[in-house]
Amino acid sequence: MEAASPAGPAAPQPRAPGAAGGLGSLLRGLKGQLFTWNILKTVALGQMLSLCICGTAITSQYLAERYRVNTPMLQSFINYCLLLLFYTVMLAFQSGSDNLLHILKRKWWKYVLLGLADVEANYLIVRAYQYTTLTSVQLLDCFGIPVLMALSWFVLYARYRVIHLIAVAVCLLGVGTMVGADILAGREDNSGSDVLIGDILVLLGASLYAVSNVCEEYIVKRLSRQEFLGMVGLFGTIISGIQLSIVECKDIASIQWDWKIALLFVAFALCMFCLYSFMPLVIQVTSATSVNLGILTADLYSLFFGLFLFGYKLCVEDCAEYWIPELKCSA
């Protein structure tokens, strides 16, 4: 007589882990990696930066389109003055190698170049609103990402995979398509040349922003956030003040000041000040490239505000006749 098997018919049979168990384990692993406090904090700060960028875009578009105010350097000058009053004064009271005078003695010429790049980037971007639309400026601003990646490769020794290079190629293709669409759409109202000027200004400004962001990452990770903001505030105020007195005296004198225009200037300056103050915090825990990718949502915010505030319409009629003749927008 054979002994009864301990795993008889009534005993539960062991089961091999199935696909559902593997998928659940994978999802739990992804949740543990993605939903950490640091990542959530970075995403939240990135969206705060996007809202600040969107605020500067909206106020600039309002000043240019509704009130015919053409003073991009004055707008930036106010922001640099705020940085000067807050962060540069803070450096003046530091001791040792972090003191303002000590920094100026060793690296003043480097910060002059950084301040020049930052000032001209702000000037070109804000100036572009005089020629092109809010959405075009915000979308073409992504050109700074491939420039930033190239600079990070050579300056910060960052390395990328093939998928990153493919993404850069797609980004550049999108930039070219956007410029072509703007030119074709501007032909109908004889504004094609002005739109092209605006697009070129955005591309130049985005490239200078990339230079500033790479320098910012290098400084905040190796030196300090206060040093970057203090030096940018000091030399940004000097450079923008000189340029302001040369190119915008007549434009400032022609402004018909009222409380709405003053409020737009204040809103622009506060959004820029918050953007400059919070961006180094995000760069310290990530990188300049990650920050610029994270703030791409500013394009979406600007699109929504453009639809509701400036009456933009999502229509392919302007460009469809050039690319796909049979596509037409309904009335």
Side-chain angles (χ1 to χ4, degrees), residues 90-316:
M90 186 185 300
L91 283 180
F93 288 97
Q94 296 286 346
S95 59
S97 60
D98 294 330
N99 182 262
L100 176 62
L101 294 178
H102 190 271
I103 295 172
L104 289 175
K105 289 178 181 178
R106 293 183 295 119
K107 297 174 287 188
W108 66 269
W109 63 273
K110 296 179 181 179
Y111 286 113
V112 168
L113 297 177
L114 173 59
L116 183 63
D118 199 77
V119 167
E120 297 309 321
N122 285 323
Y123 176 77
L124 292 173
I125 292 294
V126 179
R127 184 76 176 184
Y129 289 102
Q130 310 294 326
Y131 300 97
T132 188
T133 63
L134 170 68
T135 49
S136 292
V137 172
Q138 290 295 288
L139 291 172
L140 290 174
D141 196 27
C142 71
F143 179 70
I145 294 176
V147 178
L148 179 63
M149 292 176 65
L151 291 174
S152 297
W153 178 284
F154 292 106
V155 177
L156 303 176
Y157 303 105
R159 292 297 177 261
Y160 306 102
R161 298 180 180 178
V162 175
I163 188 64
H164 297 124
L165 301 180
I166 295 175
V168 168
V170 172
C171 180
L172 294 176
L173 179 62
V175 168
T177 304
M178 189 67 192
V179 173
D182 274 348
I183 295 173
L184 294 175
R187 286 180 180 175
E188 293 187 355
D189 55 2
N190 297 321
S191 63
S193 60
D194 288 343
V195 171
L196 179 60
I197 292 173
D199 291 347
I200 292 174
L201 291 177
V202 176
L203 297 179
L204 292 175
S207 301
L208 290 176
Y209 267 134
V211 174
S212 178
N213 288 157
V214 169
C215 296
E216 181 177 2
E217 179 177 354
Y218 181 89
I219 294 170
V220 299
K221 287 189 173 181
R222 290 169 172 80
L223 301 173
S224 71
R225 166 177 170 264
Q226 289 77 14
E227 180 172 333
F228 170 79
L229 294 173
M231 291 295 100
V232 168
L234 174 62
F235 290 106
T237 301
I238 296 173
I239 295 171
S240 61
I242 295 173
Q243 188 167 339
L244 173 67
S245 63
I246 296 174
V247 301
E248 289 188 1
C249 288
K250 294 181 179 179
D251 294 321
I252 295 174
S254 64
I255 297 176
Q256 302 296 321
W257 289 97
D258 60 21
W259 68 270
K260 294 180 181 179
I261 294 178
L263 185 61
L264 288 172
F265 271 99
V266 172
F268 178 89
L270 290 178
C271 287
M272 285 292 286
F273 180 78
C274 292
L275 176 64
Y276 273 74
S277 298
F278 289 119
M279 184 172 283
L281 295 176
V282 188
I283 288 179
Q284 281 180 331
V285 296
T286 56
S287 66
T289 303
S290 299
V291 170
N292 278 265
L293 291 172
I295 61 179
L296 287 177
T297 50
D299 301 342
L300 183 62
Y301 300 149
S302 298
L303 174 61
F304 289 149
F305 280 107
L307 292 173
F308 292 105
L309 296 179
F310 301 106
Y312 297 159
K313 295 180 180 180
L314 293 176
C315 181
V316 298

Side-chain angles (χ1 to χ4, degrees), residues 11-88:
Q13 299 294 325
R15 295 181 179 178
L23 180 60
S25 177
L26 177 61
L27 292 176
R28 286 192 296 270
L30 289 175
K31 181 180 178 181
Q33 293 179 2
L34 295 178
F35 294 96
T36 63
W37 169 245
N38 286 335
I39 291 180
L40 293 176
K41 180 175 65 174
T42 302
V43 171
L45 288 173
Q47 297 316 296
M48 186 183 300
L49 297 180
S50 292
L51 290 173
C52 290
I53 294 173
C54 184
T56 63
I58 292 169
T59 51
S60 295
Q61 188 73 9
Y62 257 114
L63 288 170
E65 187 174 294
R66 299 290 174 86
Y67 299 101
R68 303 301 177 186
V69 175
N70 181 23
T71 55
M73 191 51 63
L74 176 61
Q75 294 170 238
S76 298
F77 178 74
I78 299 173
N79 168 58
Y80 290 121
C81 287
L82 292 176
L83 294 175
L84 172 70
L85 293 174
F86 193 84
Y87 293 104
T88 309

